[in-house]
Amino acid sequence: MPQDTNLKQYYTSFKYQLLGYIKTKRFIGLTLFSLIVSIAVILLMFHVEYTTLKDSNSPTFFLNYLDTSLLDIIVVVGSFFGGDLISGDVGTGSAYYILVQPVKRSVLFLGKYTAALLSSFFIVFLYILVGIFASIDLYGKVTSKVALSLGLVLLMVAATIMLASFFSSIFKSPTSGMITSIVLLILVFPIITGIIGSLEGIYPIEFLTFAGEITYLIFNTKYPATKTVSPALHGLKIYTFNPALYQGIESLLIYLIVFGIISIVVYSRRQIEG
């Protein structure tokens, strides 16, 4: 198939998927969710520690602000947009007439994925945008590290959607893919990293949510040491880990590439049901 034909089909898939997202209650609801959470966090920070914030600086403010809910927002949004990326087609008969057309499934998937990525990043960006306005109000400026953080956030969103699309390829029900992704990333991964990291002293860089902490840790004026050890009762030691920047990027890229390949292969081979 000619390259220009693939590009046209990719653009068509992307365009109609994006337009479809914008009109959905999901997109509107998650946008409102992001704005409500961000405003609530800012108001709480202003109410509890306004004087301390005024005496601080923009990087420290963003470190505290994004540490509060950024990863949770990314996980929820990415899971909703990636959790039905495949099962929404092959698990139902709703897209039957699309999938039987002479279009490469891989091209169709990449178009749908790009639409999901842009929609998700827009919603997450709103959360950061509220922080930008708050920083301007507090300090009259915004730290330049926001640009780097946005790049890392985009990568984290991309990896999250791709992982969610993998679960979407496993389950027939779109809801199952979404719920599995959210439970895994918000509950299971943090529990596992807490156990093997804090108690066993194992550096858990292979876990997505741990690697994703680089999105806000870069605001630390002294980027935290990868490993610290604190004494505990009965001679035990408590280990504290923070992901190194480049190792975190590498981990996110691995999630993006590996689960991207798997999702495309499964999407290309799954049979249409319904």
Side-chain angles (χ1 to χ4, degrees):
M1 185 175 291
Q3 187 67 24
D4 59 338
T5 301
N6 285 335
L7 290 175
K8 289 179 181 178
Q9 292 174 343
Y10 164 82
Y11 175 73
T12 300
S13 173
F14 161 72
K15 175 183 177 182
Y16 286 102
Q17 187 72 24
L18 183 63
L19 292 175
Y21 278 145
I22 294 175
K23 298 176 183 179
T24 60
K25 294 180 181 178
R26 177 197 322 185
F27 180 82
I28 297 173
L30 288 174
T31 298
L32 291 175
F33 171 71
S34 179
L35 287 173
I36 290 172
V37 171
S38 61
I39 293 173
V41 171
I42 290 296
L43 291 177
L44 181 62
M45 291 177 68
F46 274 34
H47 176 72
V48 175
E49 49 185 344
Y50 184 78
T51 302
T52 303
L53 289 173
K54 287 291 290 184
D55 293 335
S56 186
N57 53 54
S58 184
T60 302
F61 164 76
F62 272 101
L63 175 64
N64 295 327
Y65 170 62
L66 298 183
D67 184 19
T68 305
S69 301
L70 176 62
L71 290 184
D72 290 337
I73 295 289
I74 292 176
V75 167
V76 171
V77 174
S79 296
F80 267 89
F81 281 100
D84 66 346
L85 208 58
I86 294 176
S87 58
D89 285 353
V90 299
T92 67
S94 62
Y96 178 82
Y97 293 104
I98 296 177
L99 296 181
V100 297
Q101 298 301 316
V103 181
K104 286 184 177 181
R105 292 275 188 95
S106 57
V107 174
L108 184 60
F109 174 83
L110 290 175
K112 290 161 59 69
Y113 173 79
T114 307
L117 176 60
L118 290 183
S119 300
S120 300
F121 182 70
F122 171 79
I123 295 172
V124 177
F125 174 73
L126 292 178
Y127 183 86
I128 299 175
L129 184 62
V130 172
I132 290 175
F133 287 136
S135 178
I136 294 174
D137 177 66
L138 287 167
Y139 314 109
K141 61 181 181 179
V142 179
T143 172
S144 60
K145 290 184 178 181
V146 168
L148 175 58
S149 178
L150 285 172
L152 297 174
V153 166
L154 178 60
L155 179 57
M156 177 62 182
V157 172
T160 302
I161 295 175
M162 201 61 86
L163 178 61
S165 74
F166 165 72
F167 291 115
S168 176
S169 71
I170 296 176
F171 300 104
K172 296 180 180 180
S173 168
T175 304
S176 298
M178 298 177 191
I179 294 176
T180 301
S181 300
I182 292 175
V183 171
L184 183 71
L185 295 175
I186 288 184
L187 295 178
V188 179
F189 273 17
I191 291 175
I192 295 176
T193 55
I195 293 174
I196 68 173
S198 299
L199 300 180
E200 300 297 329
I202 300 174
Y203 184 45
I205 192 61
E206 66 272 13
F207 291 90
L208 181 64
T209 46
F210 176 78
E213 292 177 10
I214 60 175
T215 54
Y216 57 82
L217 287 177
I218 61 166
F219 290 103
N220 197 323
T221 52
K222 294 182 179 179
Y223 196 83
T226 302
K227 177 181 179 180
T228 56
V229 183
S230 303
L233 296 176
H234 307 295
L236 295 176
K237 296 180 180 179
I238 299 297
Y239 301 87
T240 302
F241 290 97
N242 290 304
L245 178 59
Y246 293 107
Q247 290 177 324
I249 293 174
E250 182 183 54
S251 182
L252 296 181
L253 286 174
I254 290 174
Y255 270 91
L256 178 62
I257 295 171
V258 171
F259 288 104
I261 292 174
I262 295 174
S263 296
I264 290 175
V265 170
V266 173
Y267 187 65
S268 299
R269 297 183 177 181
R270 282 281 297 272
Q271 298 297 315
I272 306 169
E273 300 176 8

